[in-house]
Amino acid sequence: MIVAEERTDEEQIEALKAWWDENGFRTGLAIILLLGAYFGWQTWEGKLASESEIASKIWQETMDILATEDSGRTLGLDQKIAVNEKADQLKLEFSGTAYAHFAAAMKAKLAVEKGDLESAAKELQWSLDNGAEKATQIIIRLRLARVESARGNPELALEMIQGVDSGAHKSAYEEAKGDFYMQLGDSQSAFTAYEAAVMSNKSTSPASRNILELKIGQVRPVDNNAEFDGVNELAGDDDAMSEDAK
């Protein structure tokens, strides 16, 4: 029995050796790859965190410069150059962070204020082409459509926002559609869009609601039945007056 057991143990050891000779390299390689992937992921996460921290600092510096305008003072030439350089740095070196898209949107806003719609469109398109988060994409797409509309491209603007799941921005999207339809001379479609904007508007701002009501009032279809009833009422009054005259 002892000899049999020893042989069994020896056979098991030999089988293990044979398996290791056949599979050991692949198993070891798999372990190395798994460890490499784990530590690589940890390094990558650390790199992203570091990049985000640096980008956040650059963005804050940019906001500090722009705060000059909020205090009532005009930005000087050196300040404008610094703002653009920091924004370009964020886009070039930290394109994987949200701050790069904030920078592109900021540059687009400044371009619009200068009347440079072409540059504004390029900045917004850059954001769409470089992996902006979905929530950011929804806002950027709407702004780009507005810019294209202002550039005289209402058809393109309308195409850009059709079929988009705009979520919480549905009212703004529908209002934009109404504006683009108005630009195209399609008042009936504009009314439908403005009506949808009113129905989905969750803003508590009276000004926002008043603007929508004003727009929808300009394109509200004439109620033919109401006109017909009005004509009948006038006709009835005329008949009554005729009877009284008799």
Side-chain angles (χ1 to χ4, degrees):
M1 291 290 295
I2 296 175
V3 174
E5 289 178 1
E6 287 178 353
R7 287 180 179 177
T8 301
D9 291 340
E10 289 177 359
E11 289 173 355
Q12 289 177 348
I13 293 171
E14 290 299 324
L16 179 58
K17 288 180 179 180
W19 180 90
W20 184 258
D21 289 340
E22 182 179 352
N23 302 286
F25 176 76
R26 284 182 292 180
T27 302
L29 181 60
I31 293 172
I32 291 171
L33 290 175
L34 285 173
L35 290 174
Y38 173 77
F39 288 112
W41 176 255
Q42 294 293 318
T43 302
W44 175 249
E45 283 191 326
K47 181 175 181 291
L48 288 180
S50 177
E51 285 186 351
S52 183
E53 185 177 347
I54 297 171
S56 174
K57 183 179 178 181
I58 296 172
W59 176 249
Q60 185 57 55
E61 291 171 353
T62 308
M63 291 295 96
D64 290 342
I65 296 173
L66 290 175
T68 301
E69 285 191 324
D70 295 336
S71 63
R73 292 176 293 169
T74 305
L75 289 179
L77 179 59
D78 291 343
Q79 291 173 310
K80 290 179 180 178
I81 292 174
V83 164
N84 275 287
E85 286 180 347
K86 289 181 182 297
D88 288 338
Q89 182 183 5
L90 285 170
K91 290 173 57 185
L92 181 64
E93 299 177 16
F94 304 96
S95 60
T97 69
Y99 299 103
H101 299 282
F102 295 163
M106 179 200 67
K107 291 193 69 176
K109 178 178 179 293
L110 295 176
V112 168
E113 291 174 354
K114 291 190 301 182
D116 187 357
L117 298 180
E118 183 177 355
S119 293
K122 287 180 179 179
E123 292 295 337
L124 295 171
Q125 188 63 54
W126 179 92
S127 184
L128 291 179
D129 293 340
N130 284 273
E133 294 182 357
K134 183 179 179 180
T136 303
Q137 280 188 26
I138 291 172
I139 298 171
I140 293 296
R141 184 175 294 278
L142 180 59
R143 290 182 182 177
L144 180 55
R146 287 287 191 186
V147 169
E148 289 297 345
S149 172
R151 294 177 74 190
N153 303 317
E155 297 95 342
L156 176 59
L158 194 58
E159 181 182 341
M160 288 183 63
I161 61 175
Q162 291 284 24
V164 175
D165 182 7
S166 52
H169 301 280
K170 179 176 175 58
S171 181
Y173 263 69
E174 294 299 332
E175 182 180 0
K177 289 178 187 177
D179 293 345
F180 302 156
Y181 279 125
M182 283 291 288
Q183 197 173 349
L184 291 167
D186 187 349
S187 58
Q188 184 174 354
S189 296
F191 172 77
T192 301
Y194 287 144
E195 193 174 38
V198 170
M199 294 295 292
S200 57
N201 185 20
K202 297 181 181 179
S203 173
T204 57
S205 169
S208 173
R209 292 183 176 276
N210 290 339
I211 290 172
L212 276 175
E213 290 294 346
L214 180 62
K215 288 182 177 181
I216 200 171
Q218 292 175 335
V219 293
R220 180 174 282 111
V222 176
D223 190 340
N224 294 328
N225 290 331
E227 283 189 343
F228 182 76
D229 290 340
V231 170
N232 285 341
E233 287 177 7
L234 288 174
D237 291 341
D238 289 341
D239 291 343
M241 289 175 66
S242 299
E243 289 296 326
D244 291 341
K246 290 178 180 179

